[in-house]
Amino acid sequence: MKIALLGAGHIGQTIARLLHATGDYQVTVLDKNPGYLKVLTDEGIATAEVDSDNRGALAAQLRGKDAVVNALPYHLAITAAELALECGCHYFDLTEDVAATKAIKQMAEGARTAFMPQCGLAPGFIGIVAHHLASGFDSVRDVQMRVGALPAFPTNALKYNLTWSVDGLINEYCHPCEAIHEGDTIAALPLEGLEHFSLDGTEYEAFNTSGGLGTLCETWAGKVRNLDYKTVRYPGHRDLMQFLLGDLGLKGDQENLKAIMRKSMPATMQDVVLVFVTVSGMKNGVLLQEVFARKIFATRDGAQPLSAIQITTAAGICAAVDLFREGKLPQQGFVRQEQVALPDFLANRFGSAYQQSRQVESIS
């Protein structure tokens, strides 16, 4: 299967290596940064230097490929999907942006190729888990999804390091959050809905952020009382972000905020990803609750150390592509994350990264 992989950043490089190593994919990585591309070229992976703003040059590279895997920033998702449609390629991405996903869904109507956005951790794997658990109930009351990509050793006031895209981080902090509340689909405010809990003796907070639900609100409309998604951070993070975005007015000057964070907040490869899903409802006349909880840690095994967010995000999109290649997903039109069977995902050679993680011992 011939793959055009857009983006050679940390996540893009991980995706490229995983797919290339199988021998089942001919991967060509496209990026405008020659330094990023050289790292992959030296490893025997095909690359091409292309500016993502140059539609003509990008389209020329996509023609003849079977699929486009987009690991570019969220604001380029619509353009990448349009070019995939134009060039007759299947399309997969990692976007958490609600508007981009709706636009991609619209362009997928009647398409002869498949369009599957939101293939990462959240949205992505978290929706697969929630849908699987909820589908096992006779009737569903509440679905709660909590995900956090956190530094293993927080040292600053925000108790946060850059573990993934700053663009994506600020985007999810600033846009309305879809949810179902008492049976009605609503738009909740970002950074609201603060709650606290502990896992394995460590204290966390969670609050509303945009995009993590994917298409679950649409899929479960009229079938569930409450359904929501919240991002997990260490206590105190939410209040400081509200101060920056609200009190200092940086919500209206996001580029400046991103520049500040890139300059002052170091990235880290030593991180942990938390996945925590609870579903309650009726089974055989009894009100029950089921929980799925995982901690995925960074690894330093092998030639390339990997952060937990690299592992989980790359595993999500690679598993989606792999299951599609095996014919276990629809082959045309818009494909939702909840159309992925959780057992198939966890049994997949890429999705098994979530099986190898440690299950949470205690939750309160």
Side-chain angles (χ1 to χ4, degrees):
M1 189 174 185
K2 296 179 181 178
I3 301 290
L5 173 56
L6 310 184
H10 286 302
I11 302 298
Q13 288 187 14
T14 306
I15 295 168
R17 292 183 181 109
L18 288 174
L19 294 177
H20 176 75
T22 67
D24 293 325
Y25 298 93
Q26 298 176 42
V27 181
T28 302
V29 184
L30 312 178
D31 200 290
K32 64 181 179 182
N33 188 316
Y36 289 169
L37 294 175
K38 186 179 185 305
V39 173
L40 296 172
T41 302
D42 291 345
E43 297 176 23
I45 299 173
T47 64
E49 186 177 339
V50 182
D51 190 334
S52 56
D53 291 328
N54 188 332
R55 289 178 67 102
L58 198 54
Q61 291 290 338
L62 301 190
R63 292 190 182 96
K65 302 297 193 295
D66 298 306
V68 172
V69 174
N70 178 15
L72 293 170
Y74 76 90
H75 61 270
L76 295 170
I78 294 175
T79 298
E82 288 173 343
L83 288 173
L85 179 64
E86 176 185 320
C87 297
C89 302
H90 303 293
Y91 176 81
F92 302 82
D93 76 23
L94 299 166
T95 188
E96 78 292 337
D97 189 68
V98 174
T101 299
K102 289 181 178 179
I104 292 168
K105 182 183 177 185
Q106 203 167 32
M107 73 177 72
E109 293 180 5
R112 296 183 178 181
T113 51
F115 287 77
M116 189 175 185
Q118 305 182 316
C119 295
L121 167 62
F125 179 71
I126 191 72
I128 297 170
V129 172
H131 183 74
H132 174 80
L133 292 184
S135 297
F137 286 80
D138 299 326
S139 62
V140 183
R141 289 196 180 185
D142 303 307
V143 179
Q144 296 180 327
M145 288 161 277
R146 308 291 183 258
V147 172
L150 299 162
F153 308 105
T155 57
N156 53 39
L158 275 173
K159 300 177 184 176
Y160 191 75
N161 290 85
L162 299 182
T163 61
W164 64 295
S165 163
V166 179
D167 291 327
L169 178 73
I170 300 304
N171 184 58
E172 70 173 21
Y173 282 0
C174 292
H175 287 87
C177 314
E178 290 184 318
I180 296 176
H181 178 71
E182 297 299 331
D184 296 322
T185 300
I186 64 169
L189 291 174
L191 302 182
E192 295 297 332
L194 183 66
E195 63 187 36
H196 293 86
F197 65 97
S198 64
L199 296 176
D200 289 346
T202 302
E203 296 296 321
Y204 301 97
E205 67 181 23
F207 48 85
N208 299 334
T209 56
S210 175
L213 283 177
T215 55
L216 281 178
C217 279
E218 183 178 340
T219 298
W220 283 91
K223 304 173 186 176
V224 62
R225 184 178 65 180
N226 297 301
L227 183 151
D228 63 23
Y229 169 85
K230 296 182 181 182
T231 286
V232 177
R233 295 287 184 256
Y234 294 114
H237 177 90
R238 193 286 304 254
D239 289 347
L240 287 174
M241 289 307 304
Q242 277 193 327
F243 172 73
L244 292 170
L245 292 166
D247 293 1
L248 295 187
L250 290 174
K251 184 177 181 179
D253 190 6
Q254 294 180 26
E255 293 307 312
N256 189 28
L257 176 58
K258 293 172 189 177
I260 292 171
M261 294 185 75
R262 290 190 182 103
K263 181 179 179 180
S264 60
M265 188 169 294
T268 184
M269 295 290 287
Q270 296 171 289
D271 64 341
V272 57
V273 164
L274 307 182
V275 178
F276 180 31
V277 181
T278 65
V279 179
S280 63
M282 301 300 294
K283 277 189 180 182
N284 300 318
V286 179
L287 178 61
L288 296 174
Q289 181 184 71
E290 291 194 9
V291 175
F292 181 101
R294 292 286 191 279
K295 281 187 178 180
I296 300 94
F297 295 91
T299 176
R300 304 195 71 82
D301 297 335
Q304 296 290 340
L306 294 174
S307 67
I309 194 64
Q310 281 180 292
I311 293 168
T312 52
T313 305
I317 198 165
C318 288
V321 173
D322 218 28
L323 292 170
F324 175 83
R325 184 184 65 86
E326 294 172 352
K328 294 180 179 179
L329 292 174
Q331 298 294 295
Q332 63 184 57
F334 187 78
V335 184
R336 303 169 187 265
Q337 291 302 310
E338 51 267 35
Q339 290 176 267
V340 179
L342 180 62
D344 287 346
F345 183 98
L346 294 176
N348 180 265
R349 54 186 166 180
F350 302 117
S352 62
Y354 285 89
Q355 286 281 58
Q356 297 164 5
S357 64
R358 182 166 63 83
Q359 296 191 31
V360 174
E361 297 298 328
S362 59
I363 304 169
S364 62

